[in-house]
């Protein structure tokens, strides 16, 4: 009996030593497995979306390297004179594309974006962690509910204002929840010349971009035609023109006037935090703050689904690894890291926003809740021809601002032109 106990003890000791030598520690096993993997490089295309080298390194490249030691991330900026076709011909099309959701069709129409549905299912990625409007909007870009993008962050949108100009003229600062009418009223009070210096009340980015925030349908999915002769589009064109027609409110350029010349009282814009952070570091930033994006009376504090995320290239030779990276960047820790850089998380875990903006010194003391108060609305059904329609809207607004035609005539002509161009594109 005693001999048997000794044998059992010896066997147990041997098993323990064997386990220790083979590394049963999960973290150690992961490290060993990582060491055995062949190193690979994943390229990420930057096109249209503003991405600094610092943001890419801090939010994507460095965290990915820490989690997946064998993976190196590289940002590839698309030259203005190079087409996707040129990249394909040269064999340099990237593994991943970092884009806003409005640009998904740039890739799907060319067969360059992978449907992520099977990868999501295989990896058991929980899509319910995202705001449901985000996933629904992203799936609307597929003909049968395909999912081409994993969202990383919502794009910060706000009404930025220069406190010094408000103080100079004794006008009360705008407030969260201000409607478009209230903001325009403030602009009328602030558009003036003082001491030979012109001050502009309000400027906003291009007409098609602002109209997206109001979730105005561009087309009718039942007829596959552009629909611009509606009361909603008429009201929008009239509102936009009323801002541009304010006496003394003819700006020289929205970003230069607000951020450098410092004579624009308010601007409605997306994603200007990085630029203002750079000016802050240089000591040349205006004395600015923010309130919520101007609200529509019928939908206060609601704006469009406007997210940036990653698409997986159909040309990638490392699709499995690329999707692992995509999924990793939606995890809580990754989302919290983006939140600290001033990007709005896309997952619904409230804990990730507790240190929102902490890594940007220019945001200290600012009304950051203004960026987090906005609710995400469901976008209208998109169309692969929306770039044509948006181009027509932009040109039509420019013509309308000249005052040569009434709004009904402009919109009728715009709708006809858009549909004609769509017909030609289909042939």
């Amino acid at each position: 009996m005693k001999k048997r106990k000794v044998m059992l003890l010896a066997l147990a000791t041997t098993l323990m030593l064997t386990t220790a030598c083979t590394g049963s520690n999960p973290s150690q096993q992961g490290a060993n497995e990582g060491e055995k993997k062949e190193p690979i490089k994943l390229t990420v295309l930057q096109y249209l979306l503003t991405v600094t080298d610092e943001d890419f390194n801090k939010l994507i490249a460095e965290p990915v390297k820490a989690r997946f030691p064998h993976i190196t991330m590289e940002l590839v900026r698309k030259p203005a004179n190079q087409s996707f076709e040129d990249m394909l011909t040269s064999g340099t099309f990237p593994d991943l594309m970092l884009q806003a959701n409005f640009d998904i069709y740039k890739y799907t129409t060319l067969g360059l974006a992978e449907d992520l549905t099977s990868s999501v299912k295989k990896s058991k990625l929980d899509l319910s962690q995202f705001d449901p409007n985000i996933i629904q909007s992203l799936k609307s870009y597929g003909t049968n509910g395909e999912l081409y993008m994993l969202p990383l962050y919502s794009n910060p949108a706000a009404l930025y204002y220069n406190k010094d100009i408000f103080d100079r003229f004794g006008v009360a600062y705008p407030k969260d929840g201000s409607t478009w009418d209230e903001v325009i009223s403030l602009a009328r009070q602030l558009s003036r010349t003082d001491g030979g210096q012109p001050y502009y009340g309000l400027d906003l980015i291009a007409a098609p971009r602002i109209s997206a925030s109001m979730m105005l349908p561009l087309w009718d999915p039942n007829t596959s035609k552009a629909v611009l002769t509606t009361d909603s589009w008429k009201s929008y064109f009239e509102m936009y023109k009323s801002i541009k027609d304010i006496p003394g409110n003819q700006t020289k350029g929205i970003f230069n006037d607000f951020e450098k010349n410092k004579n624009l009282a308010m601007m409605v814009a997306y994603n200007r935090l990085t630029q203002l952070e750079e000016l802050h570091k240089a000591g040349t930033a205006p004395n600015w703050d923010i309130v919520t994006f101007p609200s529509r009376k019928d939908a206060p504090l609601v704006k469009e689904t406007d997210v940036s995320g990653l698409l997986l290239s159909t040309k990638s030779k490392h699709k499995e690894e690329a999707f692992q990276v995509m999924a990793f960047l939606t995890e809580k820790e990754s989302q919290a890291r983006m939140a600290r850089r001033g990007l709005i998380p896309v997952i619904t875990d409230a804990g990730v926003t507790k240190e929102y903006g902490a890594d940007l010194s220019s945001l200290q003391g600012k009304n950051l809740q203004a960026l987090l108060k906005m609710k995400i609305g469901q976008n209208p059904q998109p169309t692969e021809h929306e770039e044509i329609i948006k181009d027509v809207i932009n040109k039509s607004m420019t013509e309308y601002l000249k005052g040569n035609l009434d709004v009904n005539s402009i919109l009728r002509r715009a709708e006809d032109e858009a549909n004609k161009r769509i017909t030609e594109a289909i042939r």
Side-chain angles (χ1 to χ4, degrees), residues 325-397:
V325 167
M326 297 168 77
F328 162 65
L329 293 173
T330 68
E331 292 178 5
K332 183 175 178 179
E333 184 179 348
S334 296
Q335 290 286 291
R337 190 180 296 111
M338 293 181 196
R340 289 194 293 271
R341 292 287 294 179
L343 301 173
I344 301 172
V346 290
I347 62 174
T348 54
D349 189 321
V352 301
T353 61
K354 62 183 179 181
E355 295 183 272
Y356 184 80
D359 290 349
L360 298 179
S361 56
S362 63
L363 298 188
Q364 305 315 305
K366 304 295 189 218
N367 178 28
L368 299 183
Q369 288 302 310
L371 296 169
L372 303 176
K373 285 180 181 178
M374 299 300 295
K375 301 179 182 68
I376 294 175
Q378 177 60 50
N379 291 354
Q381 176 66 36
T383 167
E384 62 184 275
H385 303 297
E386 63 185 38
E387 288 303 315
I388 291 175
I389 303 173
K390 288 177 181 178
D391 182 59
V392 172
I393 290 170
N394 209 30
K395 292 178 179 177
S396 299
M397 182 63 81

Side-chain angles (χ1 to χ4, degrees), residues 55-69:
D55 276 346
F56 181 78
N57 289 329
K58 288 185 177 296
L59 300 179
I60 296 180
E62 292 171 8
V64 167
K65 176 61 72 173
R67 173 66 74 90
F68 309 102

Side-chain angles (χ1 to χ4, degrees), residues 182-191 200-202 246 249 266:
E182 290 168 338
V183 171
I184 293 170
S185 178
L186 287 176
R188 291 194 176 100
Q189 299 176 58
L190 294 161
S191 299
Y200 310 116
L202 173 67
I246 294 173
N249 193 44
M266 298 178 289

Side-chain angles (χ1 to χ4, degrees), residues 7-21:
M7 290 177 66
L8 288 172
L9 179 62
L11 179 60
T13 303
T14 301
L15 287 171
M16 289 173 65
L17 289 172
T18 303
T19 300
C21 291

